[in-house]
Amino acid sequence: MKIAFVGKGGSGKTTLASLFTAYLAGGGKPVLAIDADINQHLAVALGASEEEAIAWPTLGDNMGLIKEYLRGDNPRIADAAAMIKTTPPGRGSRLVRPFEDNPIFGACFREFGGVRLGVTGQFDEDDLGVACYHSKVGAAELLLNHMVDDAGEYVVMDMTAGADAFASGLFTRFDVTFLVCEPTVRSVGVYRQYADYARDFGVRLVVVGNKVTEDEDIDFLRDEVGDALLGWMENSRHVRAAERGRARPIGELEAHNLETLGSMLATVDAEQRDWARYQRQGVEFHLRNARAWGSGRAGEDLTAQVDPEFVLGPALAGQDA
């Protein structure tokens, strides 16, 4: 299952993503996590030191490798340089499993605390005025487009805050999207914006309240988001300790907060992916991007990269498409 965490900046999105990732790993479940937030704090939230986080290899710096490997011998893609973030797999493409060994995972991911973790890369001074952060996140999107995950495998992504999560087709790559919502008018406003975007694409959007301190906070969230509210996280000494660099085992999280994580996992496990729709949506956003900017930049018609007879799915796992 692929799971995304989104929300207003400062809502605790990365904290929830790290807690859920640690909860999966603590339960012995295989989990691959990707930090696609512009601020890149997931590694530290999982317990890595600042020095370890800074030294982490990035997907953004390995875009050439990612493209070349995923291209395989797909006859519709003569040159890996012509691939863009939305390029869908077709016959001849290389597909990846989240826990296999391959050159991409070898170069871009590291094991930490029972988690296979990758980061897209920070938006730094060299990018100012000349690059868009989506060029870094695009490496993760391309990887997810070619990833075949199966039952009992979990892929968690910490997305960038705000409406930027909808700046490409990446938001359709997930089985469940958890929106972290504080009990405030501004945070609820972000939920409504996300809900409007997600509705037309069948995105499973679930709200998890955060920074709840009293019953009035819960009543507010229930009134504002209704049945979309799955549960909430109460103020946590466990989280505050982690923020001071004193990470504790996930089992020491407060009982109510552990119950909320359990409800989130049950929600994820209850979902079933429609692979045909998953492929169709990937193709739709590729065609949009190709026509809007991709073909002009590449100097060729990138809509021709679409293989109309190809459908991604678990039957193709472990082999070239």
Side-chain angles (χ1 to χ4, degrees):
M1 304 300 291
K2 296 186 177 80
I3 306 114
F5 283 81
V6 300
K8 181 181 74 66
S11 63
K13 172 181 59 62
T14 297
T15 298
L16 261 292
S18 67
L19 289 173
F20 186 69
T21 298
Y23 183 76
L24 291 172
K29 300 182 185 300
V31 53
L32 180 148
I34 300 176
D35 189 350
D37 191 2
I38 194 169
N39 293 312
Q40 301 281 274
H41 294 318
L42 185 58
V44 172
L46 287 169
S49 67
E50 292 285 352
E51 292 75 16
E52 288 172 318
I54 291 171
W56 221 275
T58 71
L59 279 77
D61 288 340
N62 287 279
M63 188 60 138
L65 166 67
I66 293 169
K67 287 182 176 181
E68 190 60 52
Y69 184 78
L70 297 178
R71 180 176 72 96
D73 59 4
N74 185 335
R76 293 177 176 272
I77 306 172
D79 187 341
M83 296 175 74
I84 60 175
K85 61 184 180 180
T86 54
T87 295
R91 285 169 291 182
S93 298
R94 280 200 184 96
L95 306 179
V96 298
R97 292 291 302 268
F99 303 102
E100 70 181 15
D101 293 325
N102 63 47
I104 295 174
F105 292 142
C108 305
F109 287 75
R110 296 291 181 267
E111 303 293 328
F112 184 85
V115 177
R116 174 171 277 190
L117 176 64
V119 304
T120 55
Q122 285 188 308
F123 193 80
D124 53 37
E125 289 186 6
D126 291 340
D127 298 314
L128 294 177
V130 298
C132 170
Y133 186 65
H134 300 136
S135 64
K136 297 179 184 291
V137 177
E141 182 171 356
L142 189 61
L143 182 60
L144 290 190
N145 277 344
H146 291 73
M147 183 177 289
V148 182
D149 49 310
D150 210 343
E153 298 177 331
Y154 299 87
V155 178
V156 177
M157 182 177 285
D158 182 19
M159 301 275 278
T160 190
D164 273 359
F166 292 89
S168 72
L170 184 57
F171 75 96
T172 67
R173 303 296 85 191
F174 303 100
D175 301 290
V176 177
T177 297
F178 288 116
L179 186 141
V180 181
C181 189
E182 299 167 274
T184 66
V185 171
R186 287 184 60 196
S187 201
V188 167
V190 171
Y191 157 72
R192 290 177 177 150
Q193 184 181 30
Y194 274 60
D196 286 342
Y197 287 138
R199 189 174 297 113
D200 293 339
F201 295 94
V203 172
R204 179 83 161 93
L205 188 64
V206 178
V207 175
V208 178
N210 194 33
K211 303 180 184 178
V212 168
T213 60
E214 57 188 4
D215 290 345
E216 194 170 314
D217 292 337
I218 301 168
D219 293 339
F220 175 82
L221 288 170
R222 283 175 172 157
D223 289 343
E224 296 297 329
V225 308
D227 293 340
L229 180 65
L230 174 69
W232 57 90
M233 304 293 286
E234 298 173 351
N235 279 348
S236 170
R237 291 182 177 179
H238 183 280
V239 170
R240 287 198 296 275
E243 290 172 345
R244 297 185 187 113
R246 301 168 187 166
R248 300 172 176 174
I250 189 65
E252 295 183 12
L253 187 67
E254 295 81 6
H256 171 82
N257 293 335
L258 281 173
E259 289 175 7
T260 298
L261 294 177
S263 297
M264 293 166 66
L265 177 56
T267 298
V268 169
D269 285 344
E271 288 296 306
Q272 291 188 335
R273 182 179 306 152
D274 181 341
W275 281 101
R277 186 180 74 175
Y278 187 83
Q279 179 75 9
R280 186 170 61 249
Q281 288 180 330
V283 166
E284 175 185 345
F285 278 94
H286 177 65
L287 294 176
R288 289 188 184 191
N289 280 266
R291 291 164 180 157
W293 61 270
S295 295
R297 182 177 297 178
E300 61 180 273
D301 181 10
L302 297 189
T303 66
Q305 293 180 343
V306 174
D307 184 344
E309 298 180 14
F310 178 81
V311 178
L312 192 66
L316 300 173
Q319 60 181 320
D320 290 352

